[in-house]
């Protein structure tokens, strides 16, 4: 990395099978593979992104395994990360319930910067049953009331829904906080109902 290059470290956390690897692969390489195996340990990818101010930054994307036996290994990569994606799957309701444990694990283990930007990611929206949308919206809104610093994206790595938007917003927020010395507060972004197939809006 050159002396003037800016790099942000972004880590994905969540249960096994929620699509963390697929999200990263779709964003970094525009690849989706349904047969991809669960991450063992930790994986990495890199992507350069241009911000609204035309400044270019490099993102180091840290893909962590969601299995219980790898949690201690994942913790070793928490230190000084610049942004976090907490990922669950609409296909696995328990993965949403388990998010609070992942948040607790990060908050008690990262030993780094304060006010790290965090985004809640509901992945596999292409598999979300229509009759479950209203219930899921209520769960997410309740979550955002409790964790007021979070923003929310409803994504699909398979259909490439909001993947680029997700990382673009996180990079912009990280840069803004870095520029202002971490003093900027977060705005609560309320969940809005939308038709994913039509307008792909999730926040």
């Amino acid at each position: 990395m050159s002396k003037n290059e800016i790099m942000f470290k972004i880590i994905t956390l969540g249960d096994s099978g929620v699509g963390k690897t697929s999200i990263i692969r779709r964003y970094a390489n525009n690849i989706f593979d349904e047969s991809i195996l669960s991450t063992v340990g930790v994986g990495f990818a890199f992507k350069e992104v241009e911000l609204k101010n035309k400044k270019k930054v490099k993102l180091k994307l840290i893909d962590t395994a969601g299995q219980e036996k790898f949690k201690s290994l994942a913790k070793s990569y928490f230190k000084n990360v610049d942004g976090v994606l907490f990922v669950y799957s609409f296909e696995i309701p328990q993965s949403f319930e388990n998010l609070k444990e992942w948040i607790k694990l990060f908050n008690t283990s990262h030993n780094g910067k304060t006010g790290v930007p965090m985004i809640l990611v509901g992945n596999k929206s292409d598999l979300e049953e229509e009759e479950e949308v209203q219930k899921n919206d209520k769960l997410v809104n309740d979550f955002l009331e409790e964790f007021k610093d979070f923003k929310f994206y409803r994504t699909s790595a398979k259909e490439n829904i909001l993947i680029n938007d997700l990382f673009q917003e996180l990079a912009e927020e990280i840069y803004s906080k870095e520029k202002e010395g971490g003093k900027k507060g977060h705005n609560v972004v309320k969940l809005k109902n939308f038709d994913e197939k039509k307008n792909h809006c999730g926040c």
Side-chain angles (χ1 to χ4, degrees):
M1 186 170 72
S2 68
K3 185 167 62 174
N4 296 321
E5 187 175 52
I6 299 173
M7 179 181 286
F8 298 147
K9 294 193 295 183
I10 295 172
I11 194 167
T12 60
L13 298 176
D15 287 358
S16 178
V18 298
K20 299 186 299 293
T21 301
S22 292
I23 288 172
I24 287 177
R25 283 166 60 89
R26 172 63 82 181
Y27 178 65
N29 306 111
N30 198 25
I31 294 172
F32 179 82
D33 181 0
E34 290 199 51
S35 63
I36 192 170
L37 299 176
S38 295
T39 300
V40 176
V42 177
F44 303 91
F46 296 86
K47 176 85 171 183
E48 186 176 76
V49 59
E50 183 175 282
L51 303 178
K52 292 177 182 177
N53 61 7
K54 304 303 180 182
K55 186 175 291 291
K56 292 182 179 180
V57 300
K58 182 173 285 188
L59 305 182
K60 180 179 182 179
L61 310 173
I62 307 171
D63 180 20
T64 63
Q67 298 95 324
E68 184 70 29
K69 63 182 178 181
F70 292 121
K71 281 187 177 180
S72 60
L73 176 61
K75 284 167 58 176
S76 65
Y77 291 90
F78 290 0
K79 188 175 182 181
N80 292 324
V81 297
D82 300 294
V84 188
L85 302 179
F86 287 97
V87 185
Y88 71 98
S89 167
F90 288 109
E91 190 183 28
I92 311 172
Q94 187 60 41
S95 66
F96 182 84
E97 298 299 321
N98 293 340
L99 284 175
K100 290 184 180 181
E101 287 301 314
W102 285 105
I103 294 168
K104 181 179 178 181
L105 181 69
F106 178 78
N107 285 339
T108 58
S109 306
H110 74 91
N111 295 322
K113 302 175 182 179
T114 58
V116 175
M118 300 178 183
I119 295 183
L120 172 67
V121 182
N123 192 40
K124 303 189 182 182
S125 61
D126 54 294
L127 299 177
E128 186 180 18
E129 297 292 338
E130 199 168 314
E131 61 270 19
E132 292 291 313
V133 172
Q134 188 172 356
K135 176 184 175 183
N136 291 338
D137 286 357
K138 174 65 166 57
L139 291 173
V140 171
N141 273 320
D142 289 346
F143 180 98
L144 294 178
E145 284 294 333
E146 182 175 355
F147 298 95
K148 296 185 183 297
D149 287 345
F150 277 70
K151 294 183 179 179
F152 173 70
Y153 273 80
R154 195 186 230 113
T155 66
S156 168
K158 181 178 181 179
E159 301 294 336
N160 199 14
I161 295 174
L162 288 174
I163 300 298
N164 288 338
D165 305 64
L166 165 67
F167 285 98
Q168 184 73 36
E169 173 152 357
L170 187 54
E172 297 280 1
E173 185 171 1
I174 293 169
Y175 182 81
S176 178
K177 286 184 66 63
E178 293 286 332
K179 186 176 180 181
E180 297 185 20
K183 295 180 181 178
K184 181 182 178 182
H186 295 268
N187 294 319
V188 179
V189 177
K190 293 296 183 183
L191 175 66
K192 296 179 181 178
N193 292 322
F194 67 98
D195 184 337
E196 294 166 350
K197 302 297 182 183
K198 291 181 181 179
N199 58 30
H200 294 181
C201 177
C203 62

